[in-house]
Amino acid sequence: MQQYTPMIQQYLRIKAQYEDAFLFFRLGDFYELFFEDAIKAAKELEITLTKREGGADEPIPMCGVPHHSAEVYISQLIEKGYKVAICEQMENPQQAKGVVKREVVQVITPGTVMSQTMMDEKQNNFIAAITSFGKTKYGIAISDLSTGENYITLVNDGFEELIHTLSGMNVKEVIVAPNFSNNAQQELKKIFHVAISYEEHTSIREEFQNITQKLHTEHELITFGRLLNYLLRTQKRTLAHLQPVEILKQTDYMKIDLYSKRNLELVDTIRKQGRKGSLVWLLDKTVTAMGGRLLTKWIERPLIDRVQIEKRHEMVQCLTEQFMLREQLKGLLKGVYDIERLAGKISYGNVNAKDLVQLKKTLEILPDFVQLCYEFQHPSFSQFAERMPTTSQLLDKLSRALLDDPATSITEGGIIRDGYNAQLDEYREISVNGREWIKNLEQREKEKTGIKSLKIGFNRVFGYYIEVTKANLHLLEAERYERKQTLANAERFITPELKEMEMKILHAEDLLADLEYELFLQLREEVQEHIPHLQTIAKLLSEIDVLQSFATVSVEHHYVKPMFNEVGDISIRNGRHPVVEQVLTDTQFVENDIVLNDEKQMLLITGPNMSGKSTYMRQLALIAIMSQIGCFVPASEASLPIFDQVFTRIGAADDLVSGQSTFMVEMLETQYAVTNATKDSLILLDEIGRGTSTYDGMALAHAIIEYIHDEIGAKTLFSTHYHELTVLEEQLPRLHNVHVKAVEENGQVVFLHKVHEGAADESYGIHVAQLANLPEKLISRAKSILQQLEEENTIDKSNFVVNEQLSFFKDEQEEEKKSRTIEKTIVREIASLNLVNMTPLEAINVLYKLHEKVTRDGDKR
């Protein structure tokens, strides 16, 4: 340290406290970075890397950005997952004795950004704290610093359940204890691409007891305490806008695991990782940013409380039936600003006058909104009106205080309205009308002295003065005039009145700006007292916004109000996939019925690729989710049970990052479904077993079907290309065959996309290859080979033996298998397994190892 200059030593001391962040070190009008920070920042921000002398033998690497544009550069670093510590000058450099005092005033991290430019207005920016309690129990606390929202939930079923719980929360940063498992940290980074931060302290200060009243267990308090201490340590503010912590109970919402959220494309599409083409994209007719964020939360956490769901349905129905009132409501909502995030900015101290004008305009709308709610003549809308806080005093204060179009800066004036403060009005009068006052004074002095040549002037050295020629000096009252400057032919004087006005005029601009800033800070403090009311208003407006969005979509796309039944039946008439039907441009979506009940618990779906099996399955899941978030559904009629969970295994892709094959990914997702599903769940499994050999795949598919049918009893759609499995309809009483119809016309396959009773009679695989424009020579050869195989190796379904799940075929297939040494080994290994006491996951892992052994030894069938 001694080799460096005092300023660099100061930098190094501060940097040592923030080793995991870029230190933006304020030097005058720039934020400077030194040493490794400078080298890395210059590369990431594509700015010039320079050097400066710092007292050592070698110059120090340095780069910098102007403080007025620093937010742009900071946002680039945050988007890349870095953290930035803002170090400001805490005293005037001209008054400092020695090195200027500097302190870090804020640490900006991916989970704590407050700038509007760094956030998506319709997405929450959550930060999460995770605390482990033993091997299987975890606490999760999440917060959106920009809105003040806080949630907490406890997970009791291990790390995998923790992952599924975190999925969909749009978490940008995760806080853990320093001794948290390194392997777990790496998994979190890999799956969610989050920044990892550390916090040891978990005690909660007394001033925050009001927001933790719902927390009772030690695990809840420790988990939220870790989050709160991290926020206080990095943000260095009071955080008065933090809302009371809400406990998210897993039993209060439909559980949708990580795989299903991805497969169903609820918030993002699989291919483009964007909103367009997702369910939230389709349903988002919200007018406000607050409503957009709430919609995403509703989709991520559908309700399972029938009373709450049906209350939403009733309000949506009311909105669909009253077009004029709905349009008036949308018109009012268009004038609503994001007061939820404004409340955060007010508490944070970075709100400006334009923000408060936006708040004022929103508050002006509230009386009309309340009146409109009563006009719907519905109890739920009336309750909204009754719950709306009264803000007339705050509105009056803002209206009197702020200009309609104030300046953006809060330190340079131009924000406070005339008449709000007498002292301010006087300064403004002096500033605006100072020259006129000087002219009037000059005229009065001429009249009083009788000197027509008397004039009042100004220069930067002497300020204002009264100039009188030497011939007229005898006309002045000596006691009133103080000599200021002597010229060859004249004398310059100042009077007490002019001296006082000179001081006012010369300092009026500075005094005006300072006073306006002081008055604005006072106003901000007064508004801060209303933050709880503003947050209540935000919640009410956002909820109404989401409901009108549901109504708008339902009317535009001809959705119907779903009914619920207690017996667990599914009866959907003319159901449609809500997203697919909207993205089709040249064809009309084909509607299909879905009927499941106690006698028909499972549908085994067969049919060629591209025929619509996956779409048929997904539309059931989306209809179920839409119904339980309170939206109408794409059908002509729908009666559904309330599902506790939805599990999907649709589509397949290698997980190259973790090195897992398509087959292993498929098995893991299936394992999670069959392990966690209940009879009240919905299971959708698409072509299970296709990632391994034909016999293994059929065996596995058969076993899974039986297990779900006999052990779980959940409503299930199971699609397959193994037509041999259709014989299971005769063996499993609650399984029913259906197929997606396709016909052959002039040698070409035509997909009808219509689901019919019974099994498919042909796969049309080669026809699909033709549609993909494979070479005609290749297609002809495939047809020839297919004909030869069908003649030589016809499979007879009558030889399908249900009780021998791993040996489906007799005669020549059985002899062929026995002839292979490797297969004999596999059979012996299987025979030695204790299947009765084996968990589904253990069984899947054993099967995967057997599959690896077969493929490694050269049997690729």
Side-chain angles (χ1 to χ4, degrees), residues 367-402:
D368 293 335
F369 175 82
V370 169
Q371 179 60 36
L372 187 60
C373 283
Y374 284 122
E375 291 183 29
F376 278 101
Q377 297 182 349
H378 188 282
S380 295
F381 281 96
S382 298
Q383 290 173 12
F384 269 85
E386 292 163 2
R387 290 164 55 195
M388 188 65 68
T390 301
T391 57
S392 55
Q393 290 184 343
L394 176 59
L395 175 59
D396 177 66
K397 185 78 172 179
L398 294 172
S399 298
R400 289 189 296 106
L402 297 171

mmCIF file of all heavy atoms in Angstrom, residues 367-402:
data_model
loop_
_atom_site.group_PDB
_atom_site.id
_atom_site.type_symbol
_atom_site.label_atom_id
_atom_site.label_comp_id
_atom_site.label_asym_id
_atom_site.label_seq_id
_atom_site.Cartn_x
_atom_site.Cartn_y
_atom_site.Cartn_z
ATOM 1 N N PRO A 367 -61.248 8.569 -8.631
ATOM 2 C CA PRO A 367 -62.689 8.773 -8.402
ATOM 3 C C PRO A 367 -63.547 8.221 -9.538
ATOM 4 O O PRO A 367 -64.594 7.610 -9.298
ATOM 5 C CB PRO A 367 -62.815 10.301 -8.279
ATOM 6 C CG PRO A 367 -61.465 10.748 -7.817
ATOM 7 C CD PRO A 367 -60.491 9.840 -8.490
ATOM 8 N N ASP A 368 -63.103 8.413 -10.788
ATOM 9 C CA ASP A 368 -63.845 7.865 -11.928
ATOM 10 C C ASP A 368 -63.810 6.338 -11.921
ATOM 11 O O ASP A 368 -64.788 5.678 -12.272
ATOM 12 C CB ASP A 368 -63.253 8.381 -13.242
ATOM 13 C CG ASP A 368 -63.469 9.878 -13.419
ATOM 14 O OD1 ASP A 368 -64.431 10.408 -12.828
ATOM 15 O OD2 ASP A 368 -62.673 10.511 -14.133
ATOM 16 N N PHE A 369 -62.682 5.789 -11.513
ATOM 17 C CA PHE A 369 -62.553 4.333 -11.446
ATOM 18 C C PHE A 369 -63.513 3.757 -10.400
ATOM 19 O O PHE A 369 -64.193 2.753 -10.652
ATOM 20 C CB PHE A 369 -61.109 3.968 -11.104
ATOM 21 C CG PHE A 369 -60.885 2.500 -10.890
ATOM 22 C CD1 PHE A 369 -60.708 1.649 -11.966
ATOM 23 C CD2 PHE A 369 -60.862 1.969 -9.615
ATOM 24 C CE1 PHE A 369 -60.516 0.292 -11.769
ATOM 25 C CE2 PHE A 369 -60.662 0.621 -9.409
ATOM 26 C CZ PHE A 369 -60.482 -0.225 -10.500
ATOM 27 N N VAL A 370 -63.563 4.398 -9.249
ATOM 28 C CA VAL A 370 -64.470 3.934 -8.185
ATOM 29 C C VAL A 370 -65.915 4.000 -8.648
ATOM 30 O O VAL A 370 -66.699 3.064 -8.458
ATOM 31 C CB VAL A 370 -64.251 4.774 -6.905
ATOM 32 C CG1 VAL A 370 -65.355 4.490 -5.877
ATOM 33 C CG2 VAL A 370 -62.882 4.491 -6.306
ATOM 34 N N GLN A 371 -66.284 5.110 -9.283
ATOM 35 C CA GLN A 371 -67.649 5.266 -9.770
ATOM 36 C C GLN A 371 -67.987 4.197 -10.808
ATOM 37 O O GLN A 371 -69.082 3.620 -10.805
ATOM 38 C CB GLN A 371 -67.819 6.657 -10.375
ATOM 39 C CG GLN A 371 -69.207 6.941 -10.941
ATOM 40 C CD GLN A 371 -70.304 6.832 -9.891
ATOM 41 O OE1 GLN A 371 -70.098 7.199 -8.730
ATOM 42 N NE2 GLN A 371 -71.461 6.308 -10.268
ATOM 43 N N LEU A 372 -67.036 3.908 -11.675
ATOM 44 C CA LEU A 372 -67.261 2.909 -12.723
ATOM 45 C C LEU A 372 -67.456 1.516 -12.125
ATOM 46 O O LEU A 372 -68.280 0.735 -12.612
ATOM 47 C CB LEU A 372 -66.088 2.906 -13.696
ATOM 48 C CG LEU A 372 -66.238 2.032 -14.948
ATOM 49 C CD1 LEU A 372 -67.449 2.491 -15.777
ATOM 50 C CD2 LEU A 372 -64.967 2.095 -15.786
ATOM 51 N N CYS A 373 -66.706 1.210 -11.085
ATOM 52 C CA CYS A 373 -66.858 -0.097 -10.431
ATOM 53 C C CYS A 373 -68.281 -0.284 -9.914
ATOM 54 O O CYS A 373 -68.854 -1.371 -10.029
ATOM 55 C CB CYS A 373 -65.856 -0.234 -9.289
ATOM 56 S SG CYS A 373 -64.167 -0.581 -9.829
ATOM 57 N N TYR A 374 -68.858 0.771 -9.349
ATOM 58 C CA TYR A 374 -70.245 0.674 -8.858
ATOM 59 C C TYR A 374 -71.220 0.491 -10.020
ATOM 60 O O TYR A 374 -72.250 -0.173 -9.871
ATOM 61 C CB TYR A 374 -70.602 1.916 -8.053
ATOM 62 C CG TYR A 374 -69.998 1.938 -6.661
ATOM 63 C CD1 TYR A 374 -69.161 2.981 -6.255
ATOM 64 C CD2 TYR A 374 -70.268 0.917 -5.756
ATOM 65 C CE1 TYR A 374 -68.603 3.003 -4.981
ATOM 66 C CE2 TYR A 374 -69.705 0.938 -4.474
ATOM 67 C CZ TYR A 374 -68.880 1.975 -4.098
ATOM 68 O OH TYR A 374 -68.333 1.991 -2.841
ATOM 69 N N GLU A 375 -70.904 1.056 -11.179
ATOM 70 C CA GLU A 375 -71.815 0.953 -12.322
ATOM 71 C C GLU A 375 -71.936 -0.475 -12.862
ATOM 72 O O GLU A 375 -72.915 -0.818 -13.526
ATOM 73 C CB GLU A 375 -71.358 1.903 -13.437
ATOM 74 C CG GLU A 375 -71.541 3.378 -13.098
ATOM 75 C CD GLU A 375 -71.140 4.287 -14.250
ATOM 76 O OE1 GLU A 375 -71.259 3.846 -15.414
ATOM 77 O OE2 GLU A 375 -70.694 5.424 -13.972
ATOM 78 N N PHE A 376 -70.952 -1.322 -12.586
ATOM 79 C CA PHE A 376 -71.057 -2.717 -13.013
ATOM 80 C C PHE A 376 -72.165 -3.462 -12.254
ATOM 81 O O PHE A 376 -72.620 -4.509 -12.697
ATOM 82 C CB PHE A 376 -69.720 -3.440 -12.804
ATOM 83 C CG PHE A 376 -68.729 -3.215 -13.900
ATOM 84 C CD1 PHE A 376 -67.682 -2.312 -13.747
ATOM 85 C CD2 PHE A 376 -68.830 -3.907 -15.098
ATOM 86 C CE1 PHE A 376 -66.763 -2.106 -14.756
ATOM 87 C CE2 PHE A 376 -67.902 -3.708 -16.117
ATOM 88 C CZ PHE A 376 -66.879 -2.802 -15.952
ATOM 89 N N GLN A 377 -72.535 -2.910 -11.094
ATOM 90 C CA GLN A 377 -73.609 -3.499 -10.281
ATOM 91 C C GLN A 377 -73.339 -4.977 -9.988
ATOM 92 O O GLN A 377 -74.191 -5.847 -10.157
ATOM 93 C CB GLN A 377 -74.964 -3.318 -10.966
ATOM 94 C CG GLN A 377 -75.370 -1.865 -11.123
ATOM 95 C CD GLN A 377 -76.736 -1.698 -11.753
ATOM 96 O OE1 GLN A 377 -77.325 -2.650 -12.272
ATOM 97 N NE2 GLN A 377 -77.260 -0.480 -11.703
ATOM 98 N N HIS A 378 -72.121 -5.224 -9.564
ATOM 99 C CA HIS A 378 -71.704 -6.583 -9.204
ATOM 100 C C HIS A 378 -70.977 -6.493 -7.866
ATOM 101 O O HIS A 378 -70.135 -5.611 -7.661
ATOM 102 C CB HIS A 378 -70.779 -7.157 -10.284
ATOM 103 C CG HIS A 378 -70.459 -8.604 -10.093
ATOM 104 N ND1 HIS A 378 -69.531 -9.047 -9.182
ATOM 105 C CD2 HIS A 378 -70.947 -9.720 -10.710
ATOM 106 C CE1 HIS A 378 -69.439 -10.367 -9.239
ATOM 107 N NE2 HIS A 378 -70.301 -10.795 -10.157
ATOM 108 N N PRO A 379 -71.271 -7.404 -6.926
ATOM 109 C CA PRO A 379 -70.683 -7.313 -5.580
ATOM 110 C C PRO A 379 -69.155 -7.250 -5.585
ATOM 111 O O PRO A 379 -68.564 -6.495 -4.807
ATOM 112 C CB PRO A 379 -71.180 -8.594 -4.889
ATOM 113 C CG PRO A 379 -72.423 -8.961 -5.620
ATOM 114 C CD PRO A 379 -72.227 -8.524 -7.037
ATOM 115 N N SER A 380 -68.517 -8.030 -6.440
ATOM 116 C CA SER A 380 -67.046 -8.056 -6.449
ATOM 117 C C SER A 380 -66.467 -6.724 -6.912
ATOM 118 O O SER A 380 -65.454 -6.252 -6.380
ATOM 119 C CB SER A 380 -66.543 -9.185 -7.348
ATOM 120 O OG SER A 380 -66.919 -10.439 -6.824
ATOM 121 N N PHE A 381 -67.094 -6.104 -7.903
ATOM 122 C CA PHE A 381 -66.619 -4.789 -8.357
ATOM 123 C C PHE A 381 -66.872 -3.734 -7.284
ATOM 124 O O PHE A 381 -66.056 -2.829 -7.085
ATOM 125 C CB PHE A 381 -67.305 -4.399 -9.663
ATOM 126 C CG PHE A 381 -66.731 -5.067 -10.874
ATOM 127 C CD1 PHE A 381 -67.306 -6.221 -11.389
ATOM 128 C CD2 PHE A 381 -65.607 -4.555 -11.495
ATOM 129 C CE1 PHE A 381 -66.774 -6.847 -12.494
ATOM 130 C CE2 PHE A 381 -65.068 -5.172 -12.608
ATOM 131 C CZ PHE A 381 -65.647 -6.327 -13.113
ATOM 132 N N SER A 382 -68.000 -3.852 -6.596
ATOM 133 C CA SER A 382 -68.286 -2.917 -5.503
ATOM 134 C C SER A 382 -67.246 -3.050 -4.402
ATOM 135 O O SER A 382 -66.831 -2.055 -3.797
ATOM 136 C CB SER A 382 -69.685 -3.172 -4.944
ATOM 137 O OG SER A 382 -70.669 -2.945 -5.939
ATOM 138 N N GLN A 383 -66.802 -4.284 -4.142
ATOM 139 C CA GLN A 383 -65.770 -4.491 -3.130
ATOM 140 C C GLN A 383 -64.461 -3.818 -3.530
ATOM 141 O O GLN A 383 -63.751 -3.256 -2.680
ATOM 142 C CB GLN A 383 -65.547 -5.986 -2.917
ATOM 143 C CG GLN A 383 -66.698 -6.690 -2.216
ATOM 144 C CD GLN A 383 -66.516 -8.199 -2.178
ATOM 145 O OE1 GLN A 383 -65.436 -8.720 -2.467
ATOM 146 N NE2 GLN A 383 -67.568 -8.910 -1.813
ATOM 147 N N PHE A 384 -64.143 -3.849 -4.808
ATOM 148 C CA PHE A 384 -62.947 -3.147 -5.288
ATOM 149 C C PHE A 384 -63.062 -1.655 -4.992
ATOM 150 O O PHE A 384 -62.108 -1.020 -4.539
ATOM 151 C CB PHE A 384 -62.771 -3.375 -6.791
ATOM 152 C CG PHE A 384 -61.930 -4.563 -7.135
ATOM 153 C CD1 PHE A 384 -62.489 -5.828 -7.214
ATOM 154 C CD2 PHE A 384 -60.577 -4.427 -7.368
ATOM 155 C CE1 PHE A 384 -61.720 -6.926 -7.527
ATOM 156 C CE2 PHE A 384 -59.780 -5.522 -7.690
ATOM 157 C CZ PHE A 384 -60.367 -6.787 -7.771
ATOM 158 N N ALA A 385 -64.228 -1.106 -5.274
ATOM 159 C CA ALA A 385 -64.435 0.322 -5.046
ATOM 160 C C ALA A 385 -64.303 0.660 -3.564
ATOM 161 O O ALA A 385 -63.706 1.683 -3.188
ATOM 162 C CB ALA A 385 -65.807 0.729 -5.570
ATOM 163 N N GLU A 386 -64.851 -0.193 -2.720
ATOM 164 C CA GLU A 386 -64.820 0.061 -1.273
ATOM 165 C C GLU A 386 -63.417 -0.067 -0.695
ATOM 166 O O GLU A 386 -63.088 0.573 0.309
ATOM 167 C CB GLU A 386 -65.771 -0.908 -0.573
ATOM 168 C CG GLU A 386 -67.242 -0.640 -0.893
ATOM 169 C CD GLU A 386 -68.144 -1.815 -0.560
ATOM 170 O OE1 GLU A 386 -67.615 -2.835 -0.035
ATOM 171 O OE2 GLU A 386 -69.354 -1.741 -0.829
ATOM 172 N N ARG A 387 -62.604 -0.905 -1.321
ATOM 173 C CA ARG A 387 -61.241 -1.120 -0.819
ATOM 174 C C ARG A 387 -60.269 -0.043 -1.292
ATOM 175 O O ARG A 387 -59.141 0.028 -0.811
ATOM 176 C CB ARG A 387 -60.736 -2.496 -1.262
ATOM 177 C CG ARG A 387 -61.423 -3.660 -0.575
ATOM 178 C CD ARG A 387 -61.169 -4.966 -1.324
ATOM 179 N NE ARG A 387 -59.738 -5.238 -1.502
ATOM 180 C CZ ARG A 387 -59.256 -6.150 -2.355
ATOM 181 N NH1 ARG A 387 -60.086 -6.823 -3.137
ATOM 182 N NH2 ARG A 387 -57.964 -6.348 -2.436
ATOM 183 N N MET A 388 -60.686 0.790 -2.230
ATOM 184 C CA MET A 388 -59.785 1.801 -2.792
ATOM 185 C C MET A 388 -59.510 2.901 -1.753
ATOM 186 O O MET A 388 -60.438 3.546 -1.275
ATOM 187 C CB MET A 388 -60.407 2.414 -4.043
ATOM 188 C CG MET A 388 -59.461 3.338 -4.805
ATOM 189 S SD MET A 388 -58.028 2.476 -5.494
ATOM 190 C CE MET A 388 -58.827 1.466 -6.760
ATOM 191 N N PRO A 389 -58.258 3.112 -1.382
ATOM 192 C CA PRO A 389 -57.931 4.145 -0.379
ATOM 193 C C PRO A 389 -58.281 5.546 -0.881
ATOM 194 O O PRO A 389 -58.273 5.825 -2.078
ATOM 195 C CB PRO A 389 -56.422 4.000 -0.197
ATOM 196 C CG PRO A 389 -56.095 2.633 -0.701
ATOM 197 C CD PRO A 389 -57.073 2.356 -1.804
ATOM 198 N N THR A 390 -58.566 6.427 0.059
ATOM 199 C CA THR A 390 -58.826 7.836 -0.258
ATOM 200 C C THR A 390 -57.503 8.591 -0.323
ATOM 201 O O THR A 390 -56.707 8.535 0.609
ATOM 202 C CB THR A 390 -59.732 8.463 0.809
ATOM 203 O OG1 THR A 390 -60.952 7.746 0.865
ATOM 204 C CG2 THR A 390 -60.020 9.921 0.484
ATOM 205 N N THR A 391 -57.294 9.300 -1.400
ATOM 206 C CA THR A 391 -56.009 9.990 -1.595
ATOM 207 C C THR A 391 -56.218 11.457 -1.961
ATOM 208 O O THR A 391 -55.351 12.062 -2.582
ATOM 209 C CB THR A 391 -55.209 9.292 -2.715
ATOM 210 O OG1 THR A 391 -56.003 9.279 -3.915
ATOM 211 C CG2 THR A 391 -54.838 7.877 -2.325
ATOM 212 N N SER A 392 -57.339 12.029 -1.574
ATOM 213 C CA SER A 392 -57.646 13.405 -1.976
ATOM 214 C C SER A 392 -56.633 14.396 -1.416
ATOM 215 O O SER A 392 -56.256 15.361 -2.103
ATOM 216 C CB SER A 392 -59.057 13.775 -1.519
ATOM 217 O OG SER A 392 -59.201 13.575 -0.122
ATOM 218 N N GLN A 393 -56.179 14.187 -0.177
ATOM 219 C CA GLN A 393 -55.207 15.121 0.409
ATOM 220 C C GLN A 393 -53.882 15.072 -0.335
ATOM 221 O O GLN A 393 -53.274 16.112 -0.621
ATOM 222 C CB GLN A 393 -54.991 14.793 1.890
ATOM 223 C CG GLN A 393 -56.193 15.118 2.771
ATOM 224 C CD GLN A 393 -55.899 14.865 4.238
ATOM 225 O OE1 GLN A 393 -54.950 14.168 4.596
ATOM 226 N NE2 GLN A 393 -56.726 15.428 5.111
ATOM 227 N N LEU A 394 -53.434 13.868 -0.655
ATOM 228 C CA LEU A 394 -52.178 13.734 -1.392
ATOM 229 C C LEU A 394 -52.315 14.342 -2.781
ATOM 230 O O LEU A 394 -51.416 15.042 -3.260
ATOM 231 C CB LEU A 394 -51.791 12.258 -1.492
ATOM 232 C CG LEU A 394 -50.546 11.938 -2.329
ATOM 233 C CD1 LEU A 394 -49.324 12.658 -1.777
ATOM 234 C CD2 LEU A 394 -50.302 10.438 -2.383
ATOM 235 N N LEU A 395 -53.427 14.087 -3.430
ATOM 236 C CA LEU A 395 -53.655 14.644 -4.765
ATOM 237 C C LEU A 395 -53.650 16.156 -4.719
ATOM 238 O O LEU A 395 -53.051 16.817 -5.584
ATOM 239 C CB LEU A 395 -54.981 14.127 -5.329
ATOM 240 C CG LEU A 395 -55.415 14.713 -6.668
ATOM 241 C CD1 LEU A 395 -54.366 14.451 -7.739
ATOM 242 C CD2 LEU A 395 -56.771 14.140 -7.081
ATOM 243 N N ASP A 396 -54.303 16.738 -3.718
ATOM 244 C CA ASP A 396 -54.339 18.194 -3.580
ATOM 245 C C ASP A 396 -52.931 18.757 -3.384
ATOM 246 O O ASP A 396 -52.563 19.777 -3.976
ATOM 247 C CB ASP A 396 -55.231 18.580 -2.400
ATOM 248 C CG ASP A 396 -55.256 20.083 -2.171
ATOM 249 O OD1 ASP A 396 -55.780 20.800 -3.041
ATOM 250 O OD2 ASP A 396 -54.722 20.526 -1.133
ATOM 251 N N LYS A 397 -52.135 18.061 -2.574
ATOM 252 C CA LYS A 397 -50.766 18.509 -2.312
ATOM 253 C C LYS A 397 -49.939 18.495 -3.592
ATOM 254 O O LYS A 397 -49.226 19.462 -3.917
ATOM 255 C CB LYS A 397 -50.132 17.586 -1.267
ATOM 256 C CG LYS A 397 -48.752 18.012 -0.807
ATOM 257 C CD LYS A 397 -48.830 19.144 0.190
ATOM 258 C CE LYS A 397 -47.487 19.452 0.801
ATOM 259 N NZ LYS A 397 -47.544 20.568 1.763
ATOM 260 N N LEU A 398 -50.021 17.402 -4.337
ATOM 261 C CA LEU A 398 -49.253 17.292 -5.571
ATOM 262 C C LEU A 398 -49.717 18.308 -6.616
ATOM 263 O O LEU A 398 -48.898 18.883 -7.347
ATOM 264 C CB LEU A 398 -49.369 15.876 -6.144
ATOM 265 C CG LEU A 398 -48.736 14.740 -5.317
ATOM 266 C CD1 LEU A 398 -49.088 13.381 -5.905
ATOM 267 C CD2 LEU A 398 -47.219 14.909 -5.243
ATOM 268 N N SER A 399 -51.016 18.556 -6.675
ATOM 269 C CA SER A 399 -51.560 19.498 -7.651
ATOM 270 C C SER A 399 -51.097 20.909 -7.369
ATOM 271 O O SER A 399 -50.794 21.681 -8.281
ATOM 272 C CB SER A 399 -53.090 19.430 -7.648
ATOM 273 O OG SER A 399 -53.539 18.150 -8.014
ATOM 274 N N ARG A 400 -51.050 21.276 -6.085
ATOM 275 C CA ARG A 400 -50.611 22.622 -5.720
ATOM 276 C C ARG A 400 -49.110 22.797 -5.853
ATOM 277 O O ARG A 400 -48.615 23.890 -6.112
ATOM 278 C CB ARG A 400 -51.029 22.944 -4.284
ATOM 279 C CG ARG A 400 -52.521 23.160 -4.099
ATOM 280 C CD ARG A 400 -52.859 23.681 -2.712
ATOM 281 N NE ARG A 400 -52.533 22.730 -1.648
ATOM 282 C CZ ARG A 400 -51.504 22.868 -0.825
ATOM 283 N NH1 ARG A 400 -50.685 23.921 -0.940
ATOM 284 N NH2 ARG A 400 -51.273 21.963 0.115
ATOM 285 N N ALA A 401 -48.373 21.712 -5.695
ATOM 286 C CA ALA A 401 -46.917 21.824 -5.616
ATOM 287 C C ALA A 401 -46.225 21.772 -6.968
ATOM 288 O O ALA A 401 -45.252 22.495 -7.198
ATOM 289 C CB ALA A 401 -46.369 20.723 -4.714
ATOM 290 N N LEU A 402 -46.685 20.925 -7.875
ATOM 291 C CA LEU A 402 -45.893 20.612 -9.054
ATOM 292 C C LEU A 402 -46.404 21.289 -10.317
ATOM 293 O O LEU A 402 -47.614 21.388 -10.534
ATOM 294 C CB LEU A 402 -45.869 19.097 -9.275
ATOM 295 C CG LEU A 402 -45.225 18.264 -8.172
ATOM 296 C CD1 LEU A 402 -45.478 16.788 -8.416
ATOM 297 C CD2 LEU A 402 -43.727 18.551 -8.078
#
